Amino acid sequence: MPKLIPPLTELQVKNAKPRPKPYKMFDGGGLYVEVMPSGSRIWRWKFRHADGKENALTFGPYPEISMQDAREKRLEARRLQLQGIDPAKHRDDAKRLAAEKAANTFEKVAREWYANKVPTWSERTSKNMLQRLEADIFPKIGSRPIAEIKHRELIVMLRKIEERGATEIAHRLKAVCSQIFSYAIQCGLADRNLMADMKDVLKTKRASHYAAISADELPTFLDILSRNEARMFEPTRIALRLMLLIFVRTSELIETPWSEVDLEKGEWIIPWQRMKRGKLTVNPDMTNHHVCLSRQALALLRQLHTITGHGIYLFPNQRDHDKPLSNNTLLVALARMGYKGRMTGHGFRALAMSTIKERLGYRHEVVDRQLAHAPKDKVASAYDRAQFLTERRKMMQEWADYLEAVERGDTPQPGHHGSLELVWPAPHR
């Protein structure tokens, strides 16, 4: 019959005196407190593995672990044994999981997610994404284990961004964090995507478009550009006129080298590598873009060639001619013309799209191809971009004629099937 061990009292444990060697004071059921020569008292529990080997679990020091705590831990361990679970292995697994949780911080997981995404992004997108995470996210929650982050932490972080007026950035980073949490769940590092439960914590952002003037505002815009009271350099004025005439993306215009333009043939073909969809890492669109030059656009390019034709770029940087013009130059020029917040580089594309469709009568598909937009469905994407090339050349000339008529104060009227009937008054004598 097993020996009955009377349970310890709180006073016995509290008054236990140290000896030259460690000794044990048993509480029963394998629980004991080991008194060390230093005077510290450690709660341990003695048990046997399924194979009969003896082992001991350390529950912790007294009085940090009270007698009641130690007895509850003994009971928990006994329950594990009755379920066929090794208490020592269970303890080691728990320690390992805790260590993994602590190691898998939000920043660590975010950088893994980022590394997986980088091959599908452009260099610019990759750089901007990392800069934004390092500036706004990592300083706040980067060191926190991703599985332990709470809703409130994320709300405080996002609202701080929102409070400085960066509402759009706050919404974008919320979406980015959602992707990171989703990645963590797929890797078994988190159980829940907290961002999915946070639909209304930020101010609702209004749907916005790039600022662009309307067709009715063209006469005033062209008059201001012509009078040049903003005292812009000639290449800058030519750049703005070309944006009106050919409505390529700003970067596609200002980064153009003269080698892409054939003034003799009147051709300008932008290699697919310079186009927005050509820069995609996955499935880039390898279609060269035909700009389709009107007589007016070609005349401007020839005029520009007399100014910058000796260099690499159509629009060189004034400080370093081996670099292209800064994108900000055109925005500053528009601001000086009085169009700050009312017109952007992308606004020329929106203006052309709406006006050519509404006032010149061209089909959306033709204008869309000239804008080098991606086809919205798989059937359309099977066709080459040059499918509408003849129609696009005709359209671009009619667009240039339309702008010329507007600037002269005439009233161009749309004809049938995209043809333009120019109703002009007699020339002034």
Side-chain angles (χ1 to χ4, degrees):
M1 186 174 178
K3 181 180 178 183
L4 291 175
I5 300 174
L8 293 169
T9 65
E10 190 77 34
L11 195 60
Q12 285 177 301
V13 179
K14 183 178 180 181
N15 293 335
K17 303 298 181 183
R19 299 175 186 175
K21 292 184 178 180
Y23 68 96
K24 302 171 183 175
M25 297 170 62
F26 288 91
D27 187 58
L31 180 65
Y32 64 91
V33 62
E34 186 171 12
V35 184
M36 310 302 289
S38 63
S40 62
R41 288 148 291 182
I42 311 296
W43 287 108
R44 304 189 198 279
W45 179 63
K46 183 173 65 174
F47 71 100
R48 289 187 181 276
H49 292 285
D51 59 5
K53 291 183 179 180
E54 191 176 278
N55 198 355
L57 283 180
T58 299
F59 291 157
Y62 176 88
E64 288 83 354
I65 301 297
S66 69
M67 181 180 290
Q68 183 63 32
D69 292 337
R71 287 171 178 170
E72 288 176 1
K73 287 179 179 291
R74 173 184 60 189
L75 183 59
E76 291 171 6
R78 281 290 294 142
R79 285 172 178 159
L80 289 172
Q81 272 190 317
L82 293 173
Q83 296 172 37
I85 300 171
D86 186 324
K89 186 176 185 303
H90 184 268
R91 173 200 60 190
D92 294 341
D93 288 345
K95 285 183 178 179
R96 177 178 52 79
L97 287 173
E100 286 179 359
K101 278 187 177 182
N104 287 310
T105 62
F106 186 90
E107 180 172 350
K108 179 176 180 290
V109 176
R111 288 188 183 278
E112 286 181 9
W113 167 82
Y114 174 83
N116 286 345
K117 285 287 190 181
V118 162
T120 66
W121 291 336
S122 67
E123 183 180 350
R124 182 180 178 182
T125 299
S126 302
K127 183 179 179 182
N128 288 345
M129 179 66 72
L130 188 58
Q131 285 179 341
R132 190 55 60 194
L133 285 170
E134 290 177 340
D136 289 321
I137 305 299
F138 294 162
K140 303 297 182 183
I141 62 170
S143 61
R144 296 275 287 121
I146 194 165
E148 296 180 7
I149 293 174
K150 305 299 181 186
H151 284 85
R152 191 62 195 166
E153 296 175 76
L154 299 172
I155 293 171
V156 170
M157 175 187 72
L158 292 173
R159 284 182 176 170
K160 284 288 185 184
I161 299 170
E162 188 179 55
E163 285 169 7
R164 70 171 192 249
T167 304
E168 179 67 26
I169 291 175
H171 279 274
R172 288 183 183 180
L173 286 176
K174 178 175 173 287
V176 168
C177 288
S178 180
Q179 292 185 51
I180 294 169
F181 272 108
S182 177
Y183 172 79
I185 292 170
Q186 294 170 60
C187 294
L189 304 175
D191 299 320
R192 186 177 176 187
N193 188 339
L194 302 185
M195 289 298 181
D197 303 330
M198 295 165 52
K199 296 179 180 178
D200 302 314
V201 298
L202 294 176
K203 295 175 183 176
T204 303
K205 60 176 182 177
R206 295 180 179 178
S208 60
H209 302 281
Y210 291 100
I213 61 173
S214 66
D216 292 336
E217 295 176 276
L218 264 173
T220 302
F221 180 87
L222 289 167
D223 180 60
I224 293 173
L225 182 60
S226 177
R227 287 189 284 110
N228 194 25
E229 292 178 358
R231 302 184 67 180
M232 294 177 284
F233 291 119
E234 192 61 21
T236 303
R237 294 175 68 203
I238 291 175
L240 291 175
R241 285 191 175 276
L242 285 174
M243 288 292 287
L244 266 172
L245 286 165
I246 60 179
F247 46 90
V248 292
R249 295 179 179 89
T250 306
S251 61
E252 292 162 2
L253 175 71
I254 62 179
E255 295 174 8
T256 298
W258 278 109
S259 58
E260 289 179 7
V261 181
D262 189 328
L263 294 176
E264 294 299 321
K265 294 182 180 179
E267 289 184 350
W268 178 0
I269 300 175
I270 303 177
W272 62 267
Q273 294 93 334
R274 275 213 312 117
M275 300 299 292
K276 180 180 179 179
R277 290 186 51 77
K279 294 177 181 178
L280 294 175
T281 307
V282 177
N283 297 326
D285 186 337
M286 295 185 285
T287 306
N288 294 336
H289 181 59
H290 291 254
V291 175
C292 298
L293 295 173
S294 60
R295 294 189 303 275
Q296 292 88 334
L298 184 58
L300 281 174
L301 286 171
R302 285 172 174 157
Q303 179 184 346
L304 181 65
H305 192 266
T306 64
I307 304 171
T308 66
H310 58 281
I312 300 173
Y313 296 103
L314 272 67
F315 300 98
N317 189 297
Q318 289 191 359
R319 295 182 179 178
D320 184 353
H321 288 188
D322 291 334
K323 294 181 179 180
L325 189 72
S326 166
N327 179 43
N328 197 48
T329 301
L330 297 187
L331 289 176
V332 171
L334 288 168
R336 292 177 65 179
M337 289 174 62
Y339 286 89
K340 184 176 182 179
R342 297 170 55 200
M343 189 61 170
T344 61
H346 199 280
F348 289 106
R349 293 166 63 80
L351 171 66
M353 166 65 90
S354 59
T355 310
I356 291 175
K357 285 166 57 180
E358 294 170 7
R359 305 206 176 184
L360 303 190
Y362 276 87
R363 306 191 321 276
H364 177 87
E365 294 85 352
V366 181
V367 191
D368 214 39
R369 291 295 175 90
Q370 187 58 39
L371 288 164
H373 282 164
K376 294 183 184 290
D377 58 76
K378 293 182 179 179
V379 175
S381 65
Y383 291 88
D384 186 82
R385 285 192 186 281
Q387 179 184 6
F388 301 131
L389 195 54
T390 300
E391 195 170 358
R392 282 161 51 198
R393 285 188 177 121
K394 182 172 178 287
M395 175 187 76
M396 295 300 277
Q397 184 57 58
E398 290 190 13
W399 170 239
D401 292 341
Y402 175 90
L403 293 173
E404 191 175 79
V406 168
E407 188 168 8
R408 284 200 306 243
D410 299 327
T411 310
Q413 300 291 336
H416 299 292
H417 306 296
S419 63
L420 186 71
E421 297 176 358
L422 292 177
V423 182
W424 292 343
H428 296 290
R429 299 289 181 185

